[in-house]
Amino acid sequence: MANISYGRSVKPVVKDNARTRRHMRRMVEAIKCRKIEGILAADLGWEPPARTTELSRAENHCRRAVSDRVSKIVETETEYHKQIQAAAAKYVEHRMKSKYLKVANEAGRQIRAVQKPRRRSIPLV
């Protein structure tokens, strides 16, 4: 019987672009550099330079300082909030002009108080 595999093609998918070629080239150069440093350190009696390993995203997330979410929400005296308040005040002041106010009639319905421009009549000569 034949084995049937689902989900992957027979050939592995490899991106062959400039970025992957550069990373592969630099990885090979870094390995050679570490070997040379190890040989020099052994011959001269030095300690090989310590390599720092990068932490994973989960480890970086766990090391972050915790911020107090309640005070962050309640505290609104940020520069951004001040800009929003200034823009809102300017907008309210603009909308309070009599041109935009609506007047209610006796039935309580809103009437738009802006008058239409009057057409000029042409005098007959």
Side-chain angles (χ1 to χ4, degrees):
M1 293 189 78
N3 291 335
I4 300 173
S5 61
Y6 295 100
R8 300 248 171 151
S9 64
V10 177
K11 294 182 181 179
V13 179
V14 177
K15 288 184 180 180
D16 188 31
N17 54 21
R19 180 178 182 228
T20 55
R21 289 192 301 267
R22 181 178 66 247
H23 282 286
M24 294 300 289
R25 185 181 69 243
R26 289 183 180 174
M27 185 172 57
V28 170
E29 290 173 0
I31 291 171
K32 288 179 184 177
C33 183
R34 282 191 202 125
K35 284 182 183 178
I36 292 171
E37 286 176 353
I39 293 170
L40 286 175
D43 287 344
L44 299 175
W46 298 339
E47 291 186 13
R51 298 286 173 191
T52 58
T53 57
E54 293 185 13
L55 301 177
S56 66
R57 292 181 75 185
E59 290 170 337
N60 282 334
H61 183 73
C62 291
R63 286 183 175 213
R64 280 196 313 204
V66 179
S67 62
D68 186 18
R69 292 177 183 229
V70 175
S71 65
K72 201 175 206 181
I73 292 170
V74 173
E75 182 182 311
T76 57
E77 288 301 318
T78 61
E79 192 64 34
Y80 180 65
H81 185 265
K82 290 176 186 175
Q83 290 176 4
I84 292 173
Q85 290 294 336
K90 191 175 180 181
Y91 175 76
V92 168
E93 182 182 332
H94 172 72
R95 292 298 292 179
M96 291 304 294
K97 291 182 182 175
S98 62
K99 177 177 153 182
Y100 297 107
L101 292 179
K102 292 185 178 180
V103 180
N105 63 6
E106 298 82 24
R109 293 193 178 109
Q110 297 285 327
I111 300 172
R112 190 169 167 93
V114 177
Q115 294 181 353
K116 291 183 179 179
R118 187 176 165 197
R119 290 188 179 181
R120 291 186 165 198
S121 61
I122 302 173
L124 297 171
V125 180

